[in-house]
Amino acid sequence: MSGFSAEWLSLREPADSAARNLELTARLLEWRQRRGALTVLDLASGTGANCRFLAPLLGGEQHWRLVDHDLDLLARSKAEMQPWANAAGHCSLEWLHLDLVRDWERLKLRGVQLVTASALLDLVSADWLESLARRCGQWRAAVYIVLSYDGDMVWQPALAGDERLREWVNQHQRGNKGFGPALGPDAAAALATLLQQQGYAVRVQPSPWRLEPEQAAMQTALLDGWIEAAREIAPEAAGELANWLMQRRRWIECGQSRLQVGHWDLWAWPDYCE
Ligand SMILES: C[S@@+](CC[C@H](N)C(=O)[O-])C[C@H]1O[C@@H](n2cnc3c(N)ncnc32)[C@H](O)[C@@H]1O
């Protein structure tokens, strides 16, 4: 188990699909048109949301390697996606049970033309990111890494305490998520710099969640997670947090709450290709 439940991943999947940056998706598809059979590596694939979104768009012959350390999520991914791949005919899928920290050296990038990930980057450390950029550069793989949290959260209606909560959550984001001290909101910008140093052309564009009152379940799930994070960082603020939380819940339950959460998408390609 990784701490990311299949239920949470399924709840966020439609919001993730809606949030992806259209310009960068279009650039990826343009790149794809100039290529034949494609091998794609999906890092921290969970139940396969990234592949579910991308494979039908990419079209043509594709082989996907879906990597995660959570056996449960991999099993769900396989059960759901194998029938789709069989029916589609042009897409073969392979599931790899690997820990991206411990088994990093075993991860083979040779033959991979596209390295992708969704909702992973904010978990990783500077060292891990450096290693990723170096390996991508070595194999001249294009890189499409999306939905990396950028530290921004804006509630409507606003409430005193929103900013404090955001700061505590972002402090928590920089803790160790298994990869060493996480880069959290700085990860996408850090990867952009590292890839440029490897000779890539890089584009980074926003892909925020814009959650409407009807997306109450997702707002509640985020609220619960953030309150837990804030309590860990600032246990002395329990009373202050309880009042803030009560009002936020009330607005969500009454259908009056909107929430924007910032992310970045990144598209990078070895620039000699263009
Ligand atoms: C937020 S989820 C994103 C999953 C999927 N990419 C998506 O967009 O739905 C983060 C994923 O990272 C995986 N993960 C976390 N640490 C990992 C590690 N050390 N090795 C491999 N996978 C890891 C989790 O199991 C989980 O599937």
Side-chain angles (χ1 to χ4, degrees):
M1 275 296 297
S2 66
F4 294 95
S5 71
E7 291 66 34
W8 163 243
L9 297 184
S10 148
L11 189 59
R12 63 174 292 167
E13 189 168 343
D16 283 346
S17 300
R20 283 169 183 259
N21 185 275
L22 293 176
E23 183 201 322
L24 294 198
T25 310
R27 281 178 179 267
L28 167 68
L29 298 185
E30 201 184 309
W31 170 87
R32 198 278 175 268
Q33 277 174 7
R34 297 193 296 276
R35 270 145 194 97
L38 198 64
T39 299
V40 185
L41 178 69
D42 188 10
L43 300 170
S45 54
T47 62
N50 196 26
C51 179
R52 265 191 295 282
F53 182 89
L54 284 179
L57 291 178
L58 290 170
E61 283 297 313
Q62 298 165 50
H63 177 71
W64 281 71
R65 296 185 195 152
L66 298 134
V67 180
D68 207 283
H69 69 162
D70 187 319
L71 271 175
D72 205 32
L73 297 179
L74 285 173
R76 282 178 185 250
S77 169
K78 195 168 187 175
E80 188 170 332
M81 299 185 69
Q82 190 62 72
W84 171 81
N86 291 345
H90 58 80
C91 190
S92 59
L93 307 175
E94 179 186 0
W95 289 268
L96 301 171
H97 179 224
L98 290 177
D99 185 313
L100 289 170
V101 181
R102 220 185 34 231
D103 304 324
W104 194 209
E105 295 303 322
R106 285 174 48 205
L107 195 63
K108 303 275 182 283
L109 284 188
R110 186 189 285 277
V112 169
Q113 288 111 19
L114 177 64
V115 174
T116 184
S118 59
L120 166 70
L121 216 57
D122 35 88
L123 304 178
V124 310
S125 64
D127 285 350
W128 192 89
L129 214 51
E130 204 177 315
S131 172
L132 173 69
R134 198 168 0 94
R135 281 153 168 261
C136 290
Q138 197 176 345
W139 299 111
R140 312 313 285 165
V143 180
Y144 178 67
I145 295 198
V146 299
L147 297 156
S148 310
Y149 173 63
D150 76 356
D152 193 35
M153 61 176 83
V154 180
W155 293 94
Q156 280 179 333
L159 182 63
D162 289 354
E163 184 53 23
R164 292 256 281 165
L165 194 282
R166 191 182 73 87
E167 281 167 10
W168 286 326
V169 169
N170 288 343
Q171 207 176 320
H172 190 272
Q173 285 277 320
R174 294 175 202 280
N176 190 335
K177 315 289 180 202
F179 291 79
L183 284 167
D186 299 329
L191 181 59
T193 303
L194 288 166
L195 288 171
Q196 278 160 350
Q197 288 166 358
Q198 292 289 329
Y200 280 75
V202 183
R203 296 278 180 281
V204 179
Q205 292 286 334
S207 53
W209 284 333
R210 291 197 176 89
L211 304 180
E212 295 296 323
E214 307 75 60
Q215 289 160 294
M218 184 148 163
Q219 292 195 36
T220 301
L222 286 166
L223 191 59
D224 290 345
W226 289 341
I227 280 292
E228 209 179 303
R231 282 186 183 135
E232 270 181 44
I233 295 292
E236 72 288 354
E240 185 189 336
L241 278 170
N243 291 334
W244 182 89
L245 179 61
M246 199 164 38
Q247 182 58 58
R248 280 273 156 243
R249 280 202 199 290
R250 199 172 294 145
W251 278 331
I252 293 174
E253 282 159 18
C254 299
Q256 290 176 10
S257 177
R258 289 187 163 75
L259 173 61
Q260 179 164 320
V261 181
H263 297 106
W264 292 111
D265 288 0
L266 175 148
W267 162 240
W269 65 100
D271 58 3
Y272 74 89
C273 292
E274 303 305 305

